[in-house]
């Protein structure tokens, strides 16, 4: 399967993940009204393609709550990422630190490996 868009990612996840986990990740809470609105709003956004443009000096940095970030992205919440991949919450924390973006630790991050990663990562940015 060639993954070319979000729908392809969704289908690949549906095929690979256990049914209960796909339903959890794919769905929204309660009546899923916020999920429907988000999908509708995002469908209305068109990205302008700019091919052969010089991207050598593009600055993606942004400021969030007075903190300079490498790009306008934050990972939150990541506590249940361990359901999707072995030690997923630890992997997410490390990826966020490497990318220079904040991550939000949650109560679900209870594994010893995760607690060690949080302690070791004293320089990591946190939204907590």
């Amino acid at each position: 399967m060639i993954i070319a868009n979000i729908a392809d990612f969704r289908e690949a996840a549906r095929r690979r993940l256990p049914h209960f986990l796909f339903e959890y990740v794919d769905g929204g809470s309660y009546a899923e009204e916020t999920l429907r609105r988000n999908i509708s709003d995002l469908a209305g956004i068109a990205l302008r393609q700019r091919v052969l443009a010089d991207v050598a000096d593009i600055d993606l940095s942004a400021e969030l709550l007075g903190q300079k970030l490498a790009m306008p992205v934050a990972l939150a919440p990541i506590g249940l990422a361990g359901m999707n991949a072995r030690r997923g919450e630890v992997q997410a924390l490390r990826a966020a630190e490497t990318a220079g973006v904040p991550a939000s630790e949650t109560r679900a991050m209870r594994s010893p490996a995760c607690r060690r990663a949080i302690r070791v990562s004293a320089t990591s940015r946190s939204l907590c």
Side-chain angles (χ1 to χ4, degrees):
M1 171 180 209
I2 296 173
I3 296 179
N5 57 41
I6 296 299
D8 294 342
F9 272 115
R10 184 176 180 270
E11 179 58 23
R14 187 191 63 76
R15 289 180 183 183
R16 182 171 180 165
L17 296 174
H19 180 72
F20 80 92
L21 184 52
F22 174 76
E23 290 296 323
Y24 176 78
V25 172
D26 186 58
S29 62
Y30 302 110
E32 298 187 337
E33 184 60 33
T34 301
L35 176 62
R36 275 191 292 281
R37 288 180 184 175
N38 287 344
I39 291 170
S40 175
D41 288 348
L42 290 171
I45 296 173
L47 299 178
R48 188 178 80 184
Q49 294 183 4
R50 297 184 342 175
V51 295
L52 299 176
D54 182 11
V55 296
D57 295 320
I58 290 179
D59 179 17
L60 296 177
S61 65
E63 190 173 307
L64 176 67
L65 304 174
Q67 192 175 41
K68 182 148 175 133
L69 309 177
M71 63 185 97
V73 173
L75 297 182
I78 60 171
L80 295 177
M83 288 177 58
N84 300 308
R86 182 175 175 269
R87 296 177 62 206
E89 64 278 18
V90 176
Q91 294 177 49
L93 276 175
R94 289 183 179 153
E97 184 174 15
T98 299
V101 299
S104 173
E105 299 97 15
T106 64
R107 291 183 183 265
M109 298 168 63
R110 298 287 187 200
S111 74
C114 188
R115 287 195 299 271
R116 275 194 304 280
I118 292 169
R119 280 196 308 271
V120 168
S121 180
T123 61
S124 71
R125 298 173 171 146
S126 173
L127 293 176
C128 296

